[in-house]
């Protein structure tokens, strides 16, 4: 967010400079980057107007060092427009990842700092060699459109692709639910695939409406980091959308022979008994009576 001459912003700027000062030469590099940055130069020129000559340096490295070394009181008394140049540069600079860094201004303050603090945890997630997951799967779970029934199975299309070392997923559901009066369901979720310890997990969002989708996969064959494409996935999925509660559903996914198959809902009797047992379906289940 734009610089504000407040106690909070002065404190955050001082903390950011202290973070940089812990690395030898970082404040000197910051001064050089500021002086070479077109947006910082434009901010300074706009304030000074056309009657003032250009400065050799927007902000000297010695100035940044004084702000940091002499404490918050010294920084608070510094010229506000200079602090604005530094603060707003650090908000958008990928080269100087301080607690101020906020590449997505629409997100709450502190979000980027939280992500930065989790870098060690994120680095422990394994992104490599997940390309054995790539392909299209038939994903089986109990039909969520009629949660009181256990005789209906939803088969959606799960597509996993790896590009540039990052593995993504897309789940597609497009069908008419005859048990709901022919209601047309059109849902697409997209997100990322991660490996954490001995588990895989998929995390994504709805494409056409606010929805969070989370898959925890605890079993697959053959091994993800083996020499053959994965053929089967098993785990639990939970979707968070509309009113609660938001139950979890066991699922199993098999690599599809036909990647263009149509998602659908089928009777539990139409799928293999092993699938029914895993996802908690029953071959014969009467619809609940009302009244």
């Amino acid at each position: 967010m734009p610089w504000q001459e407040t106690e909070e912003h002065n404190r955050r700027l001082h903390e950011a400079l202290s973070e940089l000062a812990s690395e030898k030469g970082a404040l000197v590099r910051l001064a050089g980057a500021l002086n070479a940055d077109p947006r910082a130069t434009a901010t300074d020129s706009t304030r000074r107007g056309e009657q003032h000559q250009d400065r050799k340096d927007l902000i000297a490295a010695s100035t940044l060092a004084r702000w940091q070394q002499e404490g918050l009181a010294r920084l608070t008394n510094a010229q506000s427009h200079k602090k604005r140049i530094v603060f707003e540069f650090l908000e958008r600079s990928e080269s100087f990842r301080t607690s101020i860094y906020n590449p997505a201004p629409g997100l709450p303050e502190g979000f980027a700092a939280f992500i930065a603090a989790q870098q060690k945890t994120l680095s422990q997630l394994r992104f490599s060699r997940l390309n054995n997951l790539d392909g299209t799967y038939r994903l089986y779970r109990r039909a969520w459109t009629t949660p009181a029934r256990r005789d209906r199975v939803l088969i959606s299309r799960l597509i996993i692709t790896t590009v540039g070392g990052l593995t993504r997923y897309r789940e597609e559901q497009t069908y008419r639910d005859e048990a709901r009066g022919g209601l047309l369901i059109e849902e697409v979720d997209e997100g990322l695939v991660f490996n954490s310890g001995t588990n895989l997990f998929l995390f994504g969002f709805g494409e056409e409406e606010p929805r969070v989708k989370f898959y925890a996969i605890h079993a697959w064959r053959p091994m993800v980091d083996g020499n053959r494409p994965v053929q089967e996935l098993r785990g639990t999925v939970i979707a968070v959308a509309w009113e609660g509660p938001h139950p979890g559903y066991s699922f199993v996914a098999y690599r599809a022979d036909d990647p263009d198959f149509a998602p659908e809902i089928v009777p539990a009797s139409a799928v293999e008994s092993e699938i029914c047992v895993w996802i908690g379906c029953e071959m014969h289940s009467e619809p609940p009576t009302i009244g």
Side-chain angles (χ1 to χ4, degrees), residues 18 25 81 128 164 174 176 187 192 195 217 279:
S18 296
H81 75 278
S128 61
T174 302
R176 289 192 179 276
E187 289 193 359
L192 300 179
N195 177 289
I217 300 173
I279 65 178

Side-chain angles (χ1 to χ4, degrees), residues 22 35 70 89 107 113 141 150 157 198 212-213 215 221 257 265 268 270:
S22 64
N35 295 324
E70 297 179 18
F89 177 81
L107 296 174
R141 66 176 177 272
R150 292 180 173 269
R157 184 164 52 223
T198 58
V212 176
K213 190 74 72 69
Y215 303 76
R221 62 178 185 181
D257 294 330
I265 286 183

Side-chain angles (χ1 to χ4, degrees), residues 132 137 220-222 228-233 253-257:
N132 279 340
Y137 299 79
W220 52 86
R221 62 178 185 181
R228 295 181 296 158
V230 170
Q231 299 295 320
E232 177 185 334
L233 303 167
Y254 297 100
R255 186 174 292 273
D257 294 330

Side-chain angles (χ1 to χ4, degrees), residues 142-180:
R142 281 173 41 208
W144 58 265
T145 51
T146 49
R149 297 178 60 172
R150 292 180 173 269
D151 63 338
R152 311 179 73 240
V153 178
L154 166 63
I155 307 174
S156 62
R157 184 164 52 223
L158 177 66
I159 305 165
I160 300 178
T161 55
T162 301
V163 177
L166 184 65
T167 304
R168 301 173 180 269
Y169 87 88
R170 177 182 175 93
E171 187 191 6
E172 299 176 346
Q173 302 179 46
T174 302
Y175 57 89
R176 289 192 179 276
D177 190 349
E178 301 305 327
R180 295 286 298 275

Side-chain angles (χ1 to χ4, degrees), residues 7-49:
E7 180 180 348
E8 172 67 10
H9 273 200
N10 278 296
R11 181 189 61 77
R12 292 182 61 200
L13 179 55
H14 186 263
E15 288 179 354
L17 293 175
S18 296
E19 293 168 20
L20 292 173
S22 64
E23 179 184 346
K24 185 177 181 180
L27 293 180
V28 174
R29 292 194 296 274
L30 174 59
L34 285 165
N35 295 324
D37 183 66
R39 288 179 59 176
T41 301
T43 298
D44 185 62
S45 298
T46 300
R47 180 189 178 279
R48 291 185 294 107

Side-chain angles (χ1 to χ4, degrees), residues 266-284:
V266 300
S269 57
V271 303
E272 295 181 6
S273 58
E274 180 187 0
I275 295 177
C276 276
V277 171
W278 175 254
I279 65 178
C281 274
E282 299 173 0
M283 295 296 185
H284 302 287

Side-chain angles (χ1 to χ4, degrees), residues 112-132:
F114 171 79
I115 295 299
Q118 301 303 317
Q119 283 186 356
K120 181 178 180 180
T121 300
L122 290 171
S123 67
Q124 293 172 350
L125 299 177
R126 192 177 68 196
F127 297 93
S128 61
R129 301 198 69 180
L130 296 185
N131 56 298
N132 279 340

Side-chain angles (χ1 to χ4, degrees), residues 16-17 19-20 90-91 93 96-102 112-113 116:
L17 293 175
E19 293 168 20
L20 292 173
L90 289 176
E91 268 200 319
S93 173
F96 298 89
R97 298 278 185 105
T98 69
S99 54
I100 288 178
Y101 181 58
N102 184 18

